Amino acid sequence: MSNEVNNPNVTDGDWAAALAESQPAVAEPVEASSEAATGEPHVFQRLAKTGITANEQTSDIDLILDIPVSLTVELGRTRIPIKHILQLAQGSVIELDALAGEPMDVLVNGCLIAQGEVVVVNEKFGIRLTDIVTPSERVRRLNR
């Protein structure tokens, strides 16, 4: 989150002004006619262009850049009965469904976004991304 929450220079008036700016504009009332009453389908009014410039669109993304997400690198998966889990001890080996050298999945908040391979840099493990999942591929996987 932002450091402005504890900033003594930020007043309640600043928060009120920011809240007022974030409130959606009140739309003009739409004529209350239904398909059943008129026999015609309801037609929505066209949205007016807001005249947002490219610089304003760029600043919109800045609002979400500090939001933390959960990044997971998945080696593989397996299903085992609880009785086998209770028998696990230090040094136990669990067989996964992935093969050695196979790309590892990179997930953000549980959604696959990339695949990669393990690398070691300065005695620390990392992952080199080898394939980024396209947005259309992510949508296709959601429909499975």
Side-chain angles (χ1 to χ4, degrees):
M1 286 290 169
S2 173
N3 292 336
E4 294 179 1
V5 173
N6 297 324
N7 187 343
N9 297 330
V10 177
T11 64
D12 288 336
D14 294 335
W15 288 112
L19 184 60
E21 286 179 13
S22 68
Q23 296 296 327
V26 178
E28 292 183 24
V30 178
E31 195 174 301
S33 62
S34 67
E35 185 175 339
T38 62
E40 297 178 14
H42 183 76
V43 177
F44 293 100
Q45 295 178 352
R46 291 206 174 266
L47 296 174
K49 292 186 178 182
T50 59
I52 295 176
T53 65
N55 289 339
E56 290 172 340
Q57 288 178 346
T58 303
S59 66
D60 287 346
I61 191 93
D62 293 338
L63 297 174
I64 64 169
L65 292 179
D66 288 337
I67 297 175
V69 294
S70 175
L71 182 107
T72 306
V73 177
E74 190 174 272
L75 294 169
R77 295 180 182 209
T78 192
R79 293 179 66 98
I80 59 175
I82 293 175
K83 66 180 176 181
H84 291 155
I85 292 174
L86 296 174
Q87 296 170 352
L88 292 176
Q90 189 171 351
S92 296
V93 175
I94 300 171
E95 183 178 345
L96 302 175
D97 62 357
L99 301 172
E102 193 172 281
M104 299 168 48
D105 292 338
V106 179
L107 302 110
V108 171
N109 289 345
C111 181
L112 179 69
I113 61 149
Q115 291 185 318
E117 58 189 15
V118 176
V119 294
V120 179
V121 178
N122 296 331
E123 298 181 11
K124 292 188 179 186
F125 288 101
I127 185 163
R128 176 182 295 127
L129 300 180
T130 56
D131 183 34
I132 304 291
V133 178
T134 63
S136 60
E137 177 66 16
R138 277 183 249 148
V139 170
R140 189 180 66 76
R141 289 176 189 247
L142 287 175
N143 292 331
R144 285 186 189 174

